[in-house]
Structure formats: C-alpha cells, structure tokens
Amino acid sequence: MNNEMTLQNGFSTSLGKETQRMAEAIGTFQPLRRGFFSNILRRKDMAVKAFSAAIAAWYSDILEQTVTERQAIAMVKAQLAFFALILPLELGMVYRATALALFASALLQCRRRMAE
C-alpha cells in the first residue's frame, strides 16, 4: 500500500504505519492515484466499519461479554426482522409470511454467530 497522503494544498507527505492507521480511522487519508468513486466507496466502507464497531462495543457493554462485529450485525438484523414482523399491523398474509421467514433466518444466523 502506498503510504503517502495528499494534503489540501497538493503536497504529499510520507506517513509512518501508526500515523497512517490514525489517518485512515478518521477519514483524512487519501492515497495518491485513486479515482473519485473509489474514494467514496472506501469512505463508505470505513464509516460502516466504524458503525459496526460501535454497535459491537455497545452490545458488549449490554451483554457483559465480548461481541464481535459479525455477531453485532447479526443481532441488528434479527431486531430489524422482528420489528418488520410486528409493527405494520394491517398488511397481508404474504408480507407476514415473508417477515416471519426473514425473522427465522435472522435468528438462525444470530445463533450461529453467537456460537463462534
């Protein structure tokens, strides 16, 4: 990986490993020779990773055990599937069956992830 950072005024500087990690974490690291869209996708991935790490830390505090990011994402999916099942009261049976199937698969995935 190219460990150079482009500053706002167009100059570039070389970064150490720890400084590079910190710059990537706060979203200021922009490698040279990257396209506009790849930078947008990279920043989105970093934001999703930071969000899932925050959710994992929150679940770890609540459950008083270590929860990984994959486990936290599985728990969030199970909660969203549960709310999709119970909240819309006046929808048809096809929606109910789909929501129930989604909830059952999310619970199974959550169970598998928690066994890791």
Side-chain angles (χ1 to χ4, degrees):
M1 175 182 242
N2 187 2
N3 68 346
E4 291 183 354
M5 181 175 70
T6 302
L7 303 174
Q8 287 182 348
N9 57 7
F11 294 105
S12 63
T13 182
S14 181
L15 299 174
K17 291 260 187 217
E18 187 62 32
T19 308
Q20 182 178 353
R21 269 189 238 120
M22 288 173 51
E24 286 175 351
I26 61 173
T28 59
F29 181 73
Q30 297 178 353
L32 296 176
R33 298 185 194 112
R34 290 239 175 179
F36 175 74
F37 292 112
S38 63
N39 279 338
I40 289 174
L41 292 175
R42 195 169 141 285
R43 286 178 188 252
K44 180 201 67 88
D45 289 341
M46 287 176 16
V48 168
K49 189 173 271 269
F51 179 73
S52 62
I55 293 293
W58 183 71
Y59 275 125
S60 294
D61 288 343
I62 296 294
L63 298 175
E64 295 178 352
Q65 67 180 18
T66 304
V67 175
T68 65
E69 291 179 22
R70 292 179 69 188
Q71 291 170 340
I73 290 171
M75 285 186 222
V76 169
K77 285 180 183 178
Q79 287 177 342
L80 290 175
F82 176 74
F83 289 130
L85 182 63
I86 66 164
L87 285 183
L89 298 176
E90 297 179 4
L91 294 177
M93 291 304 293
V94 174
Y95 174 82
R96 293 274 178 215
T98 305
L100 183 62
L102 180 64
F103 180 59
S105 71
L107 280 180
L108 289 174
Q109 181 184 14
C110 189
R111 184 176 180 194
R112 276 187 254 131
R113 294 283 186 251
M114 292 307 287
E116 292 177 349

PDB file of all heavy atoms in Angstrom, residues 13 84 90 104:
ATOM      1  N   THR A  13       3.027  13.822   1.579  1.00  0.00           N
ATOM      2  CA  THR A  13       3.990  13.534   2.621  1.00  0.00           C
ATOM      3  C   THR A  13       3.961  12.047   2.923  1.00  0.00           C
ATOM      4  O   THR A  13       2.953  11.382   2.723  1.00  0.00           O
ATOM      5  CB  THR A  13       3.698  14.356   3.893  1.00  0.00           C
ATOM      6  OG1 THR A  13       4.685  14.067   4.861  1.00  0.00           O
ATOM      7  CG2 THR A  13       2.338  14.044   4.457  1.00  0.00           C
ATOM      8  N   ALA A  84     -40.022  -5.678  11.702  1.00  0.00           N
ATOM      9  CA  ALA A  84     -40.751  -5.809  10.435  1.00  0.00           C
ATOM     10  C   ALA A  84     -41.913  -6.783  10.594  1.00  0.00           C
ATOM     11  O   ALA A  84     -42.925  -6.661   9.910  1.00  0.00           O
ATOM     12  CB  ALA A  84     -39.815  -6.286   9.334  1.00  0.00           C
ATOM     13  N   GLU A  90     -51.591  -3.825   9.539  1.00  0.00           N
ATOM     14  CA  GLU A  90     -52.657  -4.058   8.584  1.00  0.00           C
ATOM     15  C   GLU A  90     -52.157  -4.565   7.228  1.00  0.00           C
ATOM     16  O   GLU A  90     -52.794  -4.317   6.212  1.00  0.00           O
ATOM     17  CB  GLU A  90     -53.447  -2.773   8.381  1.00  0.00           C
ATOM     18  CG  GLU A  90     -54.135  -2.321   9.655  1.00  0.00           C
ATOM     19  CD  GLU A  90     -54.906  -1.040   9.456  1.00  0.00           C
ATOM     20  OE1 GLU A  90     -54.975  -0.542   8.326  1.00  0.00           O
ATOM     21  OE2 GLU A  90     -55.441  -0.545  10.454  1.00  0.00           O
ATOM     22  N   ALA A 104     -37.011 -15.719  11.098  1.00  0.00           N
ATOM     23  CA  ALA A 104     -36.473 -17.045  11.425  1.00  0.00           C
ATOM     24  C   ALA A 104     -35.045 -17.204  10.909  1.00  0.00           C
ATOM     25  O   ALA A 104     -34.168 -17.703  11.622  1.00  0.00           O
ATOM     26  CB  ALA A 104     -37.373 -18.132  10.844  1.00  0.00           C
TER      27      ALA A 104
END
